[in-house]
Amino acid sequence: MPAVQETIDQVAQIDVDQYKYGFETILEMDMAPIGLSEDVIRFISAKKEEPEWMLEWRLDAYRRWLTMDEPDWARVSYPKIDFSEIYFYAAPKGQSGPKTLDDVDPEIRATYEKLGIPLAEQELLAGVQERRVAVDAVFDSVSVVTTFKKELSKAGVIFMSISEAIREHPELVKKYLASVVPVSDNYYSALNCAVFTDGSFVYVPEGVRCPMELSTYFRINAENTGQFERTLIVAEKGAYVSYLEGCTAPQRDENQLHAAVVELVAMDDAEIKYSTVQNWYPGDSTGKGGIYNFVTKRGDCRGDRSKISWTQVETGSAITWKYPSCILRGDDSQGEFYSIAVSNGAQQVDSGTKMIHLGKRTKSRIISKGISAGRSQNTYRGRVSAHRKATDARNFTQCDSLLIGDQCGAHTVPYIEANNATAQFEHEATTSKISDDQLFYCMQRGIPEEEAIALIVNGFVKEVIQELPMEFAVEAQKLIGISLEGSVG
Amino acid sequence: MNIQAPIKHTAAEEVLFQSCEAANAAVACSEESQKLREAAVAQLRDNGFPTRRVESWHYTDLRAAVKQLSTPTGSRVSTPLLAGSKVLSADTHIAGVKIEPWSADKAQFAPLESDDAVGQINTALATCGSIATIEAGQTIDTPLSIENRGAHARNVVSIGAGASATIIESVSGDDGFSSDVTLISLAEGAKATYVATCEKGADAIQLGQLRVALGKDANLDIVIFNAGGRLIRREIIVLVEGEGSNLDIKGVNLIGGNSHIDVTTVLQHTVPNTVSEQLFRNISTGKGQGVFQGQIKVHQIAQKTDAQMACNTLLLSNDASFSAKPELEIFADDVICAHGATVAELDEDHLFYLCARGITERTARALLVEAFVDEAVEQIENEALVEALETRIGAWLEANG
């Protein structure tokens, strides 16, 4: 199995504590005044050349946010965030919006090159033949370039940064923005509404199968900056789109905040596949630095027979607080959640999903694999509920945890709520370490211990890896190898 | 903006505080016990009855459920589950069992967590109970029964090293607000079966808590049976603190009419090499609301823990519901922990199989439901107990099926 060997090689190459994407790009930046106030929001809105209604919407969200309390129910602990010490807007000078590739600052181009993200349209991802991916590259608070826009628009697909969409397609944005995650849904979603800077907007019209994979690559570069991503994906009747998201940040001693809101809307017979490989800087092995990843992701299966599938590989961030969910509103709609959450060092992960069954004959499937190593804490928290009218709702949940080392913790907190007699819910959870028998079996056949562990871990996460688009599957497998480095063997 | 306004107490809460004062006046106790009782009342005053905002009460809103606080009118003592059982009261003599008269100082009051409403209510209101010690090395063959005569009873049972006994705590009653807390400790090598049954009328609110400490190589089987009631909350809190100890919990909850039955278990494995197993079978019908919250906490030193938890529910009517929150909290790596939870209706295939053999649908359904529940019961070792429970389950299904 070459991928296993690759994991081993990767592990061998990299020293403990080395985060591959921890470099910083030195650029002249355009910053908002530090801290948060109505003026800062006006500043962001003006920078984005937003219409008046958007500014009002932001200010309204800000006022609501002021009345809200920070949630404390997750199994994560961190010092209180001082919002007056954060820059809410940072953009490379002269980079107020996406341009053609030639206009992009060479430093930024070099950064993405280093990260392995193809900004030039002719390029292909390493090792992958004849598959093209359109990329929206978000650098701190702005989208710097969006590729393949022309080709996509030929198919009728709108793929652009959300800032552009607010200007160019206000009617669509108005109709769908905050229709899945209401402004005051939670503390961080309200904050995001007030100060969101960039993200992607995807609109796939009726009957269109998006001709290529769409992807957004988020990079936090500037110091003391928060990134507030906002992504909105709408798939009209019978449309299909697959979207990938990747993220990295430089290695720094202080914690940085990433508070995103992602909304998906699937109409009748539409399908959205959303994959994330989250690799924010996790902090060093003592727990210093790293990104606070506080994210609200929710998909609305609004139409009948629609389908939303979330796949996530979570390896980075000092703290992850993220529950990609599906509201199964349409009859016969389906929701899926496949997750691998790997934590090492002092990382804290509290992640899971919610499947809210409202429509008839709705189905959901949850496969969650948590791997904790080092001194990390890894929690699965999920909710499956069937409404009174959700006849014949089906759910299958499996969440398995693997513990590597005796200093880490693995926790499972599922909520199962059946308010309908025809609902059929199954939930299984297991927690174990790599069994000596499995290890012995492999080693007895001449496989070295380290390789055997990698093999078993790969087997453990395989069900989820298979759900990822191919490019990501390879990357994810490598990432898992790296994240567990220092704990394996 | 974050200042919490002191809560406005409901009428029922005001009555509760008055009862606390009355209970306090009725029972004399040492200064130390007095302080603990007052602390419990203070906690109740601060928080009121728990609502769903309190995580450990996520599916049970006690504040909304207790509209008025009344004392049970009839007796709470139910007919003995097992024939020939002896009551643990100060005037009974059983060889090998030391029974003392109840007093607040022997009731083992202790400081309580802020969300332990059952503990607080019971600490503040308890006026009676059984205090018994099974002496070391004694094997008591006679089933021992705990009779909770007052509305709020607090029982303390210590089982000495190598001793063994079967203890049954059965409550019934048609109405009123009552709470029972039973503290059981098992010393090294002790072996016990504890059975708690609760059959309540449609107006009764019953809060029950069992607190267990398991010593080295101790072995405890717990059997829980709940049926009826307006609201029943049964908490089982176990500290598995002796190496080599073994805990087994079997539970049956029959939820019909307007009942709300909540079973909450919290198991802490604090030492290596312990085993726990939980199996709950629930039937929810009518407008019944069932709740299961199970928490397994495995401490870092508790390597080689084997903890299993299963909760299976049959929903038999459209207005019935069931919510489950099976939690695992694990800090040790060399463990085997698993939980499974299912909620479903009767399997059409099974029903068809029986109907195809000439069994009427009504009988077929009854058979399947009974078989489903019995799976939890028939694994109990004591045959007399199995029979007694099956009789009660059969009667309930007959009345509610």
Side-chain angles (χ1 to χ4, degrees), chain A residues 66 69 75 377 383 388 403 405-407 409-412 414-421 425 427 429-431 433, chain B residues 1-2 55 58-59 300 317 319 321-330 332-333 337-343 345:
Chain A
L66 286 177
D69 292 328
R75 183 186 289 282
Q377 300 297 329
R383 161 167 286 152
R388 289 174 78 89
L403 291 151
D406 60 2
Q407 301 291 312
H411 318 294
T412 320
Y415 296 78
I416 303 154
E417 298 159 10
N419 293 314
N420 188 296
F425 287 174
H427 175 98
T430 62
T431 304
K433 69 166 191 171
Chain B
M1 65 184 174
N2 296 333
E55 187 55 33
H58 194 81
Y59 293 111
Q300 203 210 318
S317 83
D319 292 322
S321 68
F322 198 87
S323 303
K325 189 175 72 168
E327 277 179 74
L328 295 175
E329 194 178 309
I330 293 158
D333 65 334
C337 291
H339 67 220
T342 62
V343 182
E345 59 180 338

Side-chain angles (χ1 to χ4, degrees), chain B residues 347-359 364:
Chain B
D347 191 317
E348 286 295 324
D349 289 347
H350 296 173
L351 212 54
F352 179 78
Y353 180 91
L354 291 175
C355 289
R357 274 147 190 81
I359 295 167

